[in-house]
Amino acid sequence: MTYQPIENYGIIGNMYTTALVGINGSIDWFCFPRHDSPSVFAALLDRHKGGHFQIHPTTDAPITHKQFYWPETNILVTRFLAPCGVGEIIDFMPVGKTVRDRGYRWLVRQVKAIRGSMTFRMECFPAFDYARKPPKVRLTASGARLAGPDLSLGLATYTPLEACDRGVFTEFTLEADERAVFVLQETGDDFTCTLPLSRATAQDLFEETVVYWRNWLSQCTYRGRWQETVERSALVLKLLTYEPTGAIIAAPTCSLPEEMGGSRNWDYRYTWIRDAAFTLYALLRIGFTQEAAQFMNWIESRCQKQPGDDLLHVVYSVDGCYTLDEEILPHLEGYRKSAPVRIGNEAANQLQLDIYGELMDSVYLFNKYGALISHDLWTHLRRMIDWLCDNWDQEDEGIWETRGGRKHFLYSKLMVWVAFDRALRLSEKRSFPADRLRWLKVRDRVYEEIMDRGWDDTRQAFVQSYDSEALDAGALIMPLIFFMAPNDPRMLKTLNAIAKTPKQGGLVSNSLVYRYNLAYSDDGLSGQEGTFNLCTFWLVEALTRAGRVDPTQLNRARLIFEEMLSYANHLGLYAEETGASGEALGNFPQAFTHLSLISAAWNLNRAIEDR
């Protein structure tokens, strides 16, 4: 078994957990029972030890692979075309009323022969606890029980199975219109496992899941030029939610590399406060007010100070825990030998002052477009802003969570300004009590400091940090947060500086944007990285806003946006970064990328319509 390219995967899920399904029919990443649980299948991080759940044709003849989503759903179809016939796997996690009533969370794999005759091999080889614990295998009348130290799974099927030390396997032949169904589910200590699904029951679950996703997607109000692309991004974001709390994780994977063979490998299965404003903005813009409200509830819970607790943390688990100790798993070789494999995230212990701006912006947006916030929430927010008055001028690790020491990062200071600006607006709008004069004084001081120390006369651009000459894509956020007019001469000069190639000192390579240039910025890490997809969409939006005055900028924005769409995978999914050969890099799929896509599409379409 070889490593699939990252872009060869699709995602399925049920708002508790997700699974990545390769175009070869193999589930190579699956954590259970929730997004940040230890992995059950992790061949994505070690093809030998990680474990997988693969179903594929056994023919030696050439096979054509195709993969697509059932329209307007998160149900994934993987199709195999061979001389002997056509077969497919329909993968989904059931959602809907029946699932809610019964309380189960299953992974269903429905195998079908469409034409001719096709023989398949199925291998279900779990490797519990990040491949640290082999399964205990026991065949049962309804399939098999696969037990780990803290988790027991059952594979229910009518297809006879064989056992081995890695799990269970079987080979079976289907004629046209025949089906085999495999259901992976949690079992109890008494080996209880539901009976295998009949063809009719499997079809009922499939149809109910289709109805659920289509009803959910019908809330989407976006009807612009890129409707299908925006809807797919919305469906991805829904999969990355954790239903019990409303949290939205950054990505469902950990340790997928930002450079092949490199060490920039991080765990993104958590919820960043930073994502809050972008999440709420994107969801509210396209009509998903319920999801925005659920996430707002999660945010409000994070604002409530606990005894002995700091004011706010950078990143949390889906249930609100902020102790995310980073651990290296030396027994895993990493995706294509990109080591180390990390779980947990030390960023939880960093100081990142920008999170207060993103928090206040998200609350401000929700109060404006969602529902009015409570007095109790305002009390917590007021306390945070008062704290920020005394601490805003500290150095921090910044948005990119660098490990090369703290600095006065421009992006952090911009979002500090946002924190005061939105707090002042909100207090005035709702007549909330606040120390407005002090907040106003600090906000203006931050503004003047940014204009004085964040601008470099030599580069004729805003730079990454005070007293630096390095460019940073974080400056693209300035017109998006209304800090600066999009056609301000300094903003236009910054856009022009960033738009140059890295060899010319800029950050753009064939329309794709790097976060910063590693030749000028020491982030405390070795190796290189790809272009950052989020930053490319930020460039689109900055140009779009400038395009309201200058049509040539709007044309540039549309060209870059549509070119960026071509770098999505065959299902419309994006990883965190794009490599030099157009390959996906980093954790996949990434919420931040899809959020920024939605925002860019919405604003670009509106600007074109206005013209």
Side-chain angles (χ1 to χ4, degrees):
M1 182 178 180
T2 59
Y3 288 103
Q4 290 280 299
I6 294 172
E7 62 269 21
N8 271 23
Y9 287 92
I11 184 173
I12 59 173
N14 58 5
M15 285 72 73
Y16 285 84
T17 189
T18 59
L20 294 191
V21 186
I23 203 169
N24 63 346
S26 183
I27 294 178
D28 292 340
W29 183 254
F30 177 59
C31 299
F32 190 86
R34 66 184 205 183
H35 299 294
D36 56 355
S37 297
S39 63
V40 175
F41 305 120
L44 198 61
L45 298 180
D46 194 309
R47 59 178 180 165
H48 304 290
K49 304 174 185 175
H52 64 268
F53 185 3
Q54 184 172 18
I55 303 173
H56 63 98
T58 60
T59 177
D60 292 330
I63 299 174
T64 299
H65 300 81
K66 293 188 176 182
Q67 198 174 51
F68 56 93
Y69 281 109
W70 201 263
E72 300 175 306
T73 77
N74 278 315
I75 297 172
L76 190 63
V77 181
T78 304
R79 186 168 289 170
F80 309 99
L81 295 87
C84 61
V86 177
E88 69 180 23
I89 309 167
I90 299 177
D91 286 311
F92 65 100
M93 295 186 194
V95 288
K97 185 177 184 302
T98 300
V99 175
R100 288 196 300 270
D101 291 346
R102 298 182 183 179
Y104 58 66
R105 295 194 290 277
W106 294 351
L107 192 162
V108 178
R109 311 202 73 185
Q110 188 173 217
V111 191
K112 301 168 59 177
I114 307 299
R115 296 180 180 177
S117 174
M118 187 167 285
T119 300
F120 294 88
R121 178 177 175 85
M122 186 285 298
E123 295 177 347
C124 184
F125 294 164
F128 293 98
D129 191 23
Y130 304 108
R132 289 183 284 203
K133 303 293 182 182
K136 295 180 180 178
V137 184
R138 174 174 174 176
L139 297 179
T140 69
S142 57
R145 181 177 185 266
L146 306 159
D150 301 309
L151 176 65
S152 178
L153 297 176
L155 183 64
T157 181
Y158 284 114
T159 304
L161 303 175
E162 296 183 54
C164 65
D165 58 351
R166 298 186 63 190
V168 293
F169 64 95
T170 186
E171 289 192 6
F172 56 97
T173 300
L174 299 177
E175 304 295 332
D177 202 37
E178 289 184 340
R179 304 184 187 190
V181 180
F182 301 88
V183 180
L184 192 65
Q185 58 190 263
E186 189 170 7
T187 65
D189 294 335
D190 57 355
F191 303 97
T192 56
C193 186
T194 59
L195 293 174
L197 295 183
S198 66
R199 174 171 176 168
T201 304
Q203 185 64 22
D204 288 344
L205 271 180
F206 166 81
E207 291 176 2
E208 183 173 344
T209 302
V210 169
V211 169
Y212 172 88
W213 285 118
R214 289 182 173 172
N215 285 342
W216 182 82
L217 193 60
S218 67
Q219 302 173 70
C220 184
T221 57
Y222 180 86
R223 298 293 182 269
R225 287 163 173 76
W226 303 283
Q227 183 174 340
E228 288 188 12
T229 299
V230 168
E231 289 179 345
R232 177 50 54 195
S233 290
L235 284 164
V236 171
L237 292 176
K238 182 63 173 175
L239 284 183
L240 300 184
T241 61
Y242 183 61
E243 193 170 88
T245 64
I248 300 178
I249 59 171
T253 57
C254 68
S255 283
L256 289 181
E258 298 175 13
E259 177 190 26
M260 292 301 173
S263 61
R264 295 169 180 257
N265 317 315
W266 317 107
D267 192 347
Y268 277 13
R269 297 171 298 155
Y270 309 113
T271 301
W272 269 254
I273 288 292
R274 176 175 301 110
D275 298 4
F278 302 99
T279 301
L280 283 167
Y281 179 84
L283 291 174
L284 290 169
R285 277 299 185 202
I286 60 176
F288 293 104
T289 55
Q290 182 177 353
E291 280 67 28
Q294 290 172 338
F295 193 34
M296 191 67 231
N297 290 337
W298 184 88
I299 292 170
E300 184 169 356
S301 297
R302 306 290 75 75
C303 293
Q304 297 175 10
K305 180 175 172 59
Q306 302 298 321
D309 190 9
D310 293 328
L311 286 173
L312 194 65
H313 294 268
V314 174
V315 55
Y316 298 84
S317 66
V318 291
D319 61 1
C321 175
Y322 54 83
T323 303
L324 307 176
D325 295 335
E326 192 167 293
E327 179 184 355
I328 289 176
L329 304 180
H331 65 286
L332 297 178
E333 71 174 17
Y335 177 80
R336 294 188 175 177
K337 299 186 177 181
S338 301
V341 170
R342 294 183 178 92
I343 57 174
N345 202 306
E346 280 186 5
N349 302 319
Q350 288 188 347
L351 176 65
Q352 298 176 24
L353 292 172
D354 64 285
I355 62 176
Y356 294 94
E358 284 119 0
L359 172 71
M360 283 307 309
D361 198 35
S362 65
V363 175
Y364 175 78
L365 289 170
F366 187 74
N367 185 82
K368 184 176 182 179
Y369 297 109
L372 300 181
I373 69 166
S374 68
H375 167 267
D376 288 343
L377 176 56
W378 175 253
T379 301
H380 297 307
L381 296 172
R382 178 183 177 183
R383 171 174 46 82
M384 289 185 181
I385 298 301
D386 287 339
W387 177 90
L388 195 59
C389 283
D390 297 323
N391 293 276
W392 70 269
D393 56 353
Q394 294 186 56
E395 296 180 328
D396 71 351
E397 275 88 4
I399 179 179
W400 308 130
E401 301 179 345
T402 59
R403 302 196 177 188
R406 294 180 178 181
K407 299 178 182 178
H408 288 293
F409 285 104
L410 175 74
Y411 182 92
S412 295
K413 295 300 187 283
L414 287 169
M415 297 312 295
V416 164
W417 176 87
V418 168
F420 291 114
D421 182 73
R422 303 309 191 260
L424 285 163
R425 293 190 192 195
L426 189 55
S427 67
E428 185 68 28
K429 182 74 174 177
R430 294 288 308 280
S431 299
F432 282 135
D435 193 350
R436 292 191 186 91
L437 291 179
R438 186 187 184 203
W439 293 2
L440 180 61
K441 182 179 179 180
V442 177
R443 184 197 68 174
D444 291 349
R445 182 181 168 191
V446 175
Y447 187 96
E448 291 176 345
E449 184 178 282
I450 290 172
M451 299 302 293
D452 179 40
R453 300 186 63 189
W455 173 263
D456 182 75
D457 283 327
T458 303
R459 296 299 301 268
Q460 286 291 288
F462 288 101
V463 288
Q464 184 178 61
S465 60
Y466 295 169
D467 306 318
S468 165
E469 293 184 359
L471 295 177
D472 191 298
L476 296 169
I477 202 74
M478 298 176 87
L480 280 60
I481 59 174
F482 304 105
F483 177 87
M484 176 167 285
N487 60 332
D488 185 288
R490 289 196 185 193
M491 192 66 235
L492 294 176
K493 290 177 181 178
T494 300
L495 284 173
N496 290 335
I498 289 175
K500 294 179 181 178
T501 67
K503 287 185 178 180
Q504 297 171 324
L507 301 177
V508 178
S509 176
N510 297 317
S511 297
L512 305 183
V513 184
Y514 289 93
R515 292 189 292 182
Y516 44 83
N517 191 329
L518 287 166
Y520 297 93
S521 301
D522 180 13
D523 59 10
L525 300 166
S526 61
Q528 301 294 315
E529 61 182 24
T531 54
F532 213 72
N533 295 330
L534 159 71
C535 297
T536 302
F537 288 121
W538 277 358
L539 176 60
V540 169
E541 214 169 326
L543 291 171
T544 296
R545 293 173 190 255
R548 293 189 174 278
V549 176
D550 181 359
T552 60
Q553 302 283 33
L554 188 60
N555 291 335
R556 284 179 64 198
R558 183 169 185 176
L559 177 64
I560 293 173
F561 181 77
E562 293 185 330
E563 187 168 354
M564 183 59 189
L565 295 185
S566 70
Y567 286 96
N569 80 344
H570 57 290
L571 299 168
L573 308 181
Y574 289 90
E576 182 179 29
E577 300 180 7
T578 300
S581 301
E583 74 276 18
L585 292 174
N587 287 305
F588 172 89
Q590 197 208 28
F592 222 159
T593 300
H594 287 277
L595 288 168
S596 58
L597 183 156
I598 291 172
S599 180
W602 194 92
N603 284 287
L604 180 57
N605 186 76
R606 185 178 66 169
I608 294 171
E609 292 292 337
D610 289 347
R611 281 188 61 192

